[in-house]
Amino acid sequence: MGDVVATEVRDVTGVLERVAAERGGVIGVPPGLVVTPDATWTPASELLRPPYTLLGELVEQTAARWNAPRHVGAALFWKTYGYWHTLPMALAWALGGPIPVMPLAETYFKVSEAGVTIGASRVRWGSGPEAIREALEESQAPLVRVLSGMAKVGERTLWGSTAEAFAHPLTLMVPGDYMALLRAVGRPVDGLVEPAGDAYFRRTCCLWVTLPDVEPCGSCCVLKPRP
């Protein structure tokens, strides 16, 4: 198993290094996934510490950045955080290897040019969609519940961004049947994305389109042709 994991680390790391180079170094997950936390990193578990002051501050900062209402700030914060947290798992599945899971207790984040950068002091390795489902339940579901209650934004809206975080990289980074993966992972991400030729549409809106003077995302449900 050790050799398999080592190979998979190289594969995922190679893709992430390529993505980082294409984005001028702006990427929300370290290509090697593992970090040595220092004072610049904050434990992700702090986001779930009542009364959720830190999470609220990040929501307010995101809302202020885009001059958006609080619920839109929450949705856009989650679109970023959920994407980078999901990306390594999606890539690993498409590459056919073990799934790198960042245990919540060992996950860290920092605000960055990518919006937020997420890494782990230790990565746990799992197998297949089951490992991804368990990772979403452990590390994303609690945040989705708190964000939804805090900012009055629907959980389905937030999970739509996680669903897109599977579809986007398997469309543009490593080819993969994201619809099969979403079906295998199941609720709450299954059914929130649908294919459209070589692209896809969301079935929920990330709320970006509600901002003044912006173009809708290419995958936005408002752009989907009506029957």
Side-chain angles (χ1 to χ4, degrees), residues 3 26 44 47-48 55 58 67 69 79 97 99-100 113 129 146 153 192:
D3 290 342
V26 179
L47 297 173
L48 293 169
L55 183 59
L58 292 169
N67 192 26
K79 184 175 183 178
I99 307 299
E113 290 184 86
V146 172
V153 58
L192 299 184

Side-chain angles (χ1 to χ4, degrees), residues 134-171:
E134 291 171 2
L136 297 184
E137 179 60 31
E138 176 190 8
S139 297
Q140 294 196 21
L143 283 167
V144 165
R145 287 192 291 267
V146 172
L147 278 172
S148 177
M150 169 191 294
K152 309 305 180 188
V153 58
E155 290 190 21
R156 190 169 186 270
T157 293
L158 301 176
W159 282 119
S161 291
T162 297
E164 183 170 25
F166 290 104
H168 181 269
L170 302 195
T171 301

Side-chain angles (χ1 to χ4, degrees), residues 84-122:
W84 295 119
H85 183 267
T86 303
L87 177 63
M89 297 187 290
L91 294 175
W93 180 85
L95 291 166
I99 307 299
V101 174
M102 299 181 187
L104 178 61
E106 295 170 89
T107 299
Y108 295 79
F109 77 93
K110 63 172 67 176
V111 175
S112 69
E113 290 184 86
V116 65
T117 295
I118 302 170
S121 57
R122 179 183 67 87

